[in-house]
Amino acid sequence: MGEHILGVIGGSGLYDLPGIRATESVHVDTPFGRPSDELVRGYLGDVAVIFLPRHGRGHRLLPTEVPYRANVFALKHLGVQALLSIGAVGSLRAHLPPGDVVVPDQFIDRTVGRPSTFFGDGIVAHVSLADPVCAAFADSVEAAARAAGGAVHRGGTYLCMEGPQFSSRAESHLYRQWGADVIGMTNWQEAKLAREAELCFASLALVTDYDCWKTDEAHVVIEDVLRILAANADLARQAVAGVAERLAGQRACACAEALRYAIITDRARIPEHRRTALAPLIGKYL
């Protein structure tokens, strides 16, 4: 394995990544359309970093409209090996107050109709998502966020909802009964696609509110979300720099071979156009 290239997808409130040096904007066309925006490639210390704003600069895309496949495919195409997804979440637990940071290790999907696989159209693959977060990479993310001064909680379940509306109170109570700890609108698709792309994956979830289950607190409104996100933006940027410092060296996890036994289609029956389109993902196995 080669050295890490760190990919960062920034969510609400994080549309750039100051501190990257020797930057260039990169346009990538993918078999799944264009990414959310141009990607910025540069260096933090000695580590190559590629940054992409999830919702586009100026926040133009709803969570449902984000081209998740194009985003992750573009990062893979540019050589990314570890993907850090940063985004705002609501807290479903009293011990996770606004302003804190969560590095979740599990997900529940409540989205509908979002494409979340690179496969289909003549080729079938089934990857394991029992443990969707790379533990070794999450160790680096946790350590970097703590070093940046964050109140960090390691582990927990991220419930991914469709949005763009926030939850009803009944839904919020239901998700708590299910054992979810935080709620957001984006990271699960990125986790699924990162596994198919054989990328190490972790989330840095920035708590902005208590959703609407906590009746002694005001229910979530976008003004409060943006205010707390602005306060956490610098912490997130410092954490990214810390993650980059910790990624020098070789990958020692199994993420890089997630597809080794996942492709079950007879190789002779895989259509040529799919072989070509998915070459950055599956070429080494065909």
Side-chain angles (χ1 to χ4, degrees):
M1 297 294 175
E3 291 187 344
H4 279 285
I5 298 176
L6 174 63
V8 179
I9 295 179
S12 301
L14 193 66
Y15 309 112
D16 56 25
L17 202 60
I20 299 181
R21 58 181 176 81
T23 61
E24 61 172 333
S25 294
V26 182
H27 173 78
V28 180
D29 286 317
T30 82
F32 306 97
R34 292 186 175 181
S36 297
D37 211 316
E38 289 186 330
L39 298 93
V40 175
R41 178 165 53 189
Y43 289 87
L44 283 170
D46 296 326
V47 175
V49 175
I50 299 176
F51 175 78
L52 176 65
R54 179 184 293 117
H55 300 281
R57 288 169 180 83
H59 206 116
R60 309 181 312 274
L61 300 171
L62 290 171
T64 303
E65 296 174 323
V66 171
Y68 296 98
R69 292 185 297 179
N71 289 350
V72 176
F73 192 95
L75 291 166
K76 174 72 173 184
H77 177 72
L78 293 176
V80 163
Q81 294 163 303
L83 173 57
L84 174 60
S85 291
I86 303 173
V89 295
S91 170
L92 297 172
R93 301 294 162 192
H95 71 279
L96 303 175
D100 282 15
V101 177
V102 180
V103 182
D105 57 8
Q106 287 293 328
F107 292 85
I108 296 172
D109 195 357
R110 284 281 294 161
T111 65
V112 291
R114 294 185 188 181
S116 57
T117 179
F118 295 115
F119 295 98
D121 189 22
I123 178 170
V124 176
H126 298 285
V127 297
S128 172
L129 283 171
D131 297 300
V133 171
C134 174
F137 184 38
D139 285 345
S140 297
V141 174
E142 177 189 9
R146 290 190 189 281
V152 183
H153 305 265
R154 176 67 181 271
T157 298
Y158 177 124
L159 186 137
C160 191
M161 65 181 293
E162 187 65 44
Q165 302 88 354
F166 296 123
S167 305
S168 71
R169 211 177 306 278
E171 289 171 325
S172 196
H173 284 298
L174 175 64
Y175 301 152
R176 280 169 46 79
Q177 292 176 26
W178 286 356
D181 298 291
V182 295
I183 182 167
M185 300 181 186
T186 56
N187 280 194
W188 187 214
Q189 277 68 43
E190 291 163 353
K192 290 180 178 180
L193 293 163
R195 180 58 50 85
E196 289 190 347
E198 299 188 325
L199 307 181
C200 299
F201 177 85
S203 290
L204 190 65
L206 309 177
V207 179
T208 60
D209 57 83
Y210 279 114
D211 203 40
C212 59
W213 65 273
K214 204 169 187 294
T215 54
D216 60 341
E217 297 275 347
H219 60 78
V220 56
V221 293
I222 193 62
E223 293 88 350
D224 291 339
V225 169
L226 296 177
R227 176 178 53 81
I228 295 174
L229 274 177
N232 272 353
D234 284 340
L235 184 149
R237 294 183 180 106
Q238 292 176 49
V240 170
V243 171
E245 290 177 4
R246 290 165 171 79
L247 284 185
Q250 306 291 316
R251 298 171 80 186
C253 59
C255 302
E257 296 189 337
L259 286 177
R260 177 170 293 278
Y261 304 109
I263 302 169
I264 63 173
T265 304
D266 182 337
R267 303 302 192 262
R269 292 183 174 271
I270 297 174
E272 191 60 35
H273 74 281
R274 296 298 281 155
R275 287 175 177 266
T276 300
L278 299 182
L281 307 182
I282 66 174
K284 67 180 181 180
Y285 297 119
L286 301 184

